[in-house]
Amino acid sequence: MSHPAPSPLTIGPRGALKGRVRVPGDKSISHRALMFSALAVGESRVEGLLEGEDVLATAAALRAMGATIERDDDGSWRIHGVGVGGLLQPASALDMGNSGTSTRLLMGLVASHAITATFTGDASLSKRPMGRVIDPLATMGAEITASPGGRLPLMVRGIVPAVPITYTLPVASAQVKSAILLAGLNTPGITRVIEPVATRDHSERMLAGFGADLTIEETPEGRVISIRGEAELAPQHIVVPGDPSSAAFWLVAASVVPGSDVVIENVGLNPTRSGLVTALRMMGADITERDARSVGGEPVADLHVRHAALSAITVPHDLAPSMIDEYPALFVAAAFATGTTVARGAEELRVKESDRIAAMAAALSAIGVAVTEHDDGLSVTGTGGGPLPGGATIASLLDHRIAMSLTVAGLHAAAPVTIDDASPVATSYPMFFATLDAVAPVAEVEA
């Protein structure tokens, strides 16, 4: 999957954001809905699937391994699964594009099937280390040959039967946890993952919904997730809630742009994902929940957010796992707060689509924000609500969240902010800029 030609974009103030926003389906849940449906026996139906490039890469890979995946005219998706153990040998390499989630979780699937798959990706993904997934899967018996540094391209030669393991996560990672659980589905016996720090639990919730024999136990060593292998999954009807990571940009934009008043519909509020809402409320953000409900076992609500004066905080370290993808947006919120916000405990940001700590430090500094970079986060001194100086060109580094975060920063800047390449936004939120035009039309800018 080649990366498109760079698409520069210049963003300046547009006035208050007003109206209702419906964010795309949750990316993490969309990936898992496709994968678990592909392993069920029979046909599953998924509504609200995120149709970004990352999720479509997962769909293409599953088709290559035998699943039938089709989109209906009403926007819903039908997946006819092959059953656990039924994945077929792909005829060619699996192109993951920019999707680390696709890569790591599919490596787990392949590891306990009698097939061999080669994983490739774009320039950004090929820089991301896969060692934290390679190690436990190799312990289960898979043979994995990676490029230097444990990077893509890499080849996974699965094994049947694989060996069940008990694995303690050295770093909080829902992707590593999920890869091991997926490998465990086709492994005789019980595979266990121990996470000292709880991470997003979409895999556990959804696997249980598909009928997997999965248990969760809280112990002094941490949360123990056990799955019994050689499972039979039953097809499901899944409704994907709105992605809290996509909602993050509207939460911050409406909080910092004066006069804004926005309702973000159908946002997933799984407690393992809602850390940004907690952090913004600690800073003084005006965010209220409307019509709280449960959709497919996931808590959901509409979020009403209005402009508010933000104050600096020290972000609790234990919030990091529940907002790890939202740190770039949080750093932008901090840039408009009164005082110096300290946001640390997020060393995982170093190995995302880009080094998001270094990328955000460079981007914020370029547009006039006082930033101190730490090994695990940033300290950001805000403007007290006033506009940022702006007036610089920012490198998005093929990272969709960097591009969207700096777009938000440009909405309340004294001089326009230029993003060197906004095309990566399509990996997770294809309608982001169209939605921005709807809630803050360019035509509203005064001469």
Side-chain angles (χ1 to χ4, degrees):
M1 187 180 294
S2 60
H3 186 72
S7 177
L9 182 73
T10 298
I11 295 289
R14 301 181 174 202
L17 285 72
K18 301 280 189 177
R20 302 182 72 87
V21 170
R22 194 169 185 92
V23 296
D26 185 285
K27 186 152 70 88
S28 296
I29 294 175
S30 293
H31 282 301
R32 289 160 174 80
L34 289 175
M35 292 182 197
F36 301 161
S37 296
L39 294 176
V41 178
E43 186 173 276
S44 296
R45 184 164 175 261
V46 181
E47 296 181 50
L49 189 84
L50 169 63
E51 297 181 9
E53 293 173 357
D54 284 11
V55 174
L56 296 181
T58 289
L62 293 169
R63 288 191 190 100
M65 293 187 284
T68 300
I69 302 176
E70 298 174 332
R71 185 186 189 278
D72 290 337
D73 292 340
D74 64 359
S76 64
W77 290 70
R78 289 181 291 113
I79 303 96
H80 197 280
V82 298
V84 173
L87 294 180
L88 303 179
Q89 173 69 44
S92 58
L94 304 178
D95 188 346
M96 299 290 94
N98 189 240
S99 182
T101 302
S102 302
T103 306
R104 294 185 175 112
L105 270 61
L106 289 171
M107 285 172 63
L109 277 188
V110 171
S112 60
H113 282 73
I115 62 176
T116 299
T118 298
F119 293 84
T120 63
D122 68 10
S124 172
L125 182 60
S126 297
K127 295 176 182 178
R128 299 177 66 179
M130 298 294 159
R132 63 181 58 176
V133 182
I134 292 171
D135 292 344
L137 297 181
T139 303
M140 297 179 77
E143 181 182 330
I144 302 175
T145 305
S147 297
R151 292 174 166 81
L152 269 59
L154 61 77
M155 183 179 70
V156 179
R157 187 185 303 276
I159 186 169
V160 176
V163 179
I165 62 172
T166 296
Y167 188 78
T168 300
L169 295 178
V171 177
S173 172
Q175 292 180 2
V176 177
K177 171 180 64 177
S178 298
I180 298 168
L181 294 176
L182 286 167
L185 281 173
N186 198 41
T187 298
I190 297 177
T191 297
R192 294 183 177 88
V193 179
I194 302 171
E195 49 176 13
V197 178
T199 65
R200 60 185 63 177
D201 63 355
H202 302 307
S203 291
E204 297 95 301
R205 289 173 183 254
M206 194 178 293
L207 281 170
F210 273 85
D213 185 353
L214 181 144
T215 61
I216 300 171
E217 181 184 4
E218 301 292 343
T219 74
E221 289 74 35
R223 191 166 172 264
V224 181
I225 306 101
S226 303
I227 192 164
R228 185 177 296 277
E230 299 177 309
E232 289 190 12
L233 303 185
Q236 300 293 310
H237 176 203
I238 299 169
V239 178
V240 180
D243 192 342
S245 296
S246 297
F249 305 106
W250 307 118
L251 288 169
V252 173
S255 293
V256 303
V257 177
S260 294
D261 189 333
V262 172
V263 175
I264 313 166
E265 301 176 348
N266 195 48
V267 181
L269 291 178
N270 184 306
T272 64
R273 296 287 303 282
S274 59
L276 178 68
V277 174
T278 300
L280 289 175
R281 284 173 170 161
M282 291 173 64
M283 298 173 76
D286 183 354
I287 302 171
T288 56
E289 297 174 22
R290 294 180 172 181
D291 190 19
R293 55 203 183 271
S294 178
V295 176
E298 295 277 349
V300 170
D302 300 337
L303 297 181
H304 184 196
V305 54
R306 289 171 287 199
H307 172 254
L310 302 183
S311 298
I313 62 169
T314 297
V315 180
H317 282 211
D318 60 5
L319 274 185
S322 64
M323 59 181 288
I324 196 67
D325 285 332
E326 291 73 68
Y327 267 84
L330 175 71
F331 294 148
V332 171
F336 293 98
T338 298
T340 299
T341 296
V342 180
R344 303 189 63 173
E347 57 274 0
E348 174 76 5
L349 296 177
R350 295 286 188 187
V351 291
K352 290 289 187 177
E353 282 83 337
S354 66
D355 178 341
R356 286 179 175 160
I357 294 174
M360 287 302 297
L364 291 173
S365 295
I367 58 175
V369 181
V371 176
T372 300
E373 181 176 340
H374 310 290
D375 58 354
D376 60 349
L378 298 179
S379 294
V380 181
T381 301
T383 63
L388 304 178
T393 297
I394 303 303
S396 68
L397 303 177
L398 299 179
D399 191 324
H400 54 130
R401 300 204 194 282
I402 301 298
M404 286 185 278
S405 296
L406 270 296
T407 296
V408 172
L411 294 175
H412 192 31
V417 173
T418 299
I419 299 159
D420 70 339
D421 186 5
S423 64
V425 169
T427 66
S428 68
Y429 199 162
M431 295 300 293
F432 175 75
F433 291 109
T435 302
L436 175 60
D437 289 341
V439 296
V442 175
E444 289 187 0
V445 176
E446 296 180 2

